[in-house]
Amino acid sequence: MERRLDEPTLADQFTPHLGSSRRRAVLDQLDQIVPWAALVAELQGLNPPQPKGGRPRWPLRVMLKCLFLQKLFHLSDPGLEDALRDSLAFRHFLGLSLTDAVPDETTFVRVRQSLRERGLDEALFE
């Protein structure tokens, strides 16, 4: 089962102009350049079946975008988690509303480990 993201809230409607406009412009450009749908389709088998009783997984698209942010902005796993909480531009890029939770640092480690086990970690960023 995949985690469902919240619908944009009223607060999201009033805050699109907040945050770093330069960072947002770079992320908007990245969003147009990277073929996210093709990447997600290619990596769909990355997640093994969801065990019963576990927390829902984050959408693969969100996790891939997190890894791109981490690489682009030279962030550690805890630094990425903090940045996702603080940066409106990052939240917008990921498609997270102001009320959505953010993935934690352990989740980034697991996704990166899954990529590495399949030999996809370096190929993803080439």
Side-chain angles (χ1 to χ4, degrees):
M1 174 193 287
E2 200 171 79
R3 181 182 300 259
R4 294 185 63 200
L5 302 179
D6 291 341
E7 293 294 319
T9 64
L10 184 61
D12 291 305
Q13 302 294 326
F14 289 111
T15 58
H17 62 285
L18 297 179
S20 170
S21 58
R22 284 190 303 242
R23 181 181 291 166
R24 192 146 189 185
V26 167
L27 295 177
D28 285 345
Q29 187 175 14
L30 180 65
D31 216 12
Q32 292 175 1
I33 293 171
V34 177
W36 298 112
L39 281 175
V40 168
E42 188 72 29
L43 299 173
Q44 201 56 49
L46 184 65
N47 289 330
Q50 175 79 28
K52 286 188 177 183
R55 289 191 308 190
R57 287 194 176 93
W58 284 94
L60 186 54
R61 181 182 188 117
V62 170
M63 295 312 302
L64 289 175
K65 285 184 166 191
C66 284
L67 295 180
F68 271 76
L69 286 174
Q70 188 172 35
K71 193 85 159 169
L72 184 63
F73 292 96
H74 309 287
L75 298 167
S76 65
D77 293 330
L80 177 57
E81 182 180 351
D82 286 344
L84 294 178
R85 291 183 197 287
D86 292 341
S87 172
L88 291 174
F90 284 7
R91 292 181 81 85
H92 174 76
F93 177 68
L94 296 179
L96 299 177
S97 76
L98 294 175
T99 58
D100 279 316
V102 298
D104 63 15
E105 61 184 276
T106 307
T107 306
F108 306 134
V109 172
R110 287 190 192 124
V111 171
R112 212 173 23 261
Q113 182 179 0
S114 292
L115 287 168
R116 194 174 303 120
E117 287 171 356
R118 291 162 179 80
L120 299 171
D121 54 328
E122 291 184 23
L124 183 63
F125 295 104
E126 287 182 2

